[in-house]
Amino acid sequence: MVRKKSKTPNRAFKVADQIQRDLTELIARELKDPRVGMVTIQGVEVTPDYAHAKVFFSLLAGDSKLCTEGLNQAAGFLRAGLFKRLHIHTVPTLHFVFDQTTEHAADMNALIARAVASRAKED
């Protein structure tokens, strides 16, 4: 009997992707916390045993600390919503993390623009 190679990494990516899609919908339609504004789910990392998931999000406007607090308080509610949608044995515990990538990118673009502007003045 020949055993097939495990597809676990691919499955983990599929589960994380499905969690990302479902959370986006749940937050937009069912979460009523005023601290949680216009949130975009940037990505989800699931542990190999599916016990925990880090959910990275960005915020269009508002206080990132308050939003993180609101999302983490609603994690149980959101997990229950995922449980109804996902067809997996273990729905992970959600941990929300503010993703500062877009802020860092904007800062870098501003620095580059300043450097280009100062170089243009010299020439």
Side-chain angles (χ1 to χ4, degrees):
M1 182 160 119
V2 177
R3 286 183 64 174
K4 289 186 175 185
K5 189 176 176 184
S6 173
K7 299 272 184 182
T8 304
N10 194 26
R11 182 170 186 262
F13 288 129
K14 286 181 182 179
V15 169
D17 189 48
Q18 188 62 46
I19 288 172
Q20 182 175 349
R21 279 185 264 139
D22 288 344
L23 275 178
T24 298
E25 194 173 310
L26 282 168
I27 290 169
R29 294 186 181 178
E30 297 184 27
L31 195 60
K32 305 294 184 214
D33 192 326
R35 296 174 292 181
V36 179
M38 297 290 290
V39 171
T40 303
I41 304 297
Q42 299 290 347
V44 177
E45 289 179 1
V46 182
T47 58
D49 61 354
Y50 301 104
H52 299 277
K54 265 189 191 176
V55 181
F56 297 95
F57 72 94
S58 64
L59 190 59
L60 187 61
D63 186 359
S64 62
K65 290 178 182 167
L66 283 176
C67 187
T68 303
E69 192 178 288
L71 286 169
N72 280 316
Q73 277 190 331
F77 169 77
L78 294 169
R79 185 175 184 232
L82 286 175
F83 194 77
K84 294 174 190 171
R85 293 165 175 248
L86 295 174
H87 302 289
I88 59 175
H89 182 61
T90 304
V91 175
T93 302
L94 303 172
H95 307 280
F96 289 90
V97 179
F98 181 65
D99 185 8
Q100 296 178 328
T101 305
T102 52
E103 287 181 352
H104 289 303
D107 291 344
M108 291 301 290
N109 283 336
L111 284 172
I112 291 169
R114 270 191 248 135
V116 169
S118 69
R119 189 171 209 167
K121 286 179 184 175
E122 291 173 3
D123 291 340

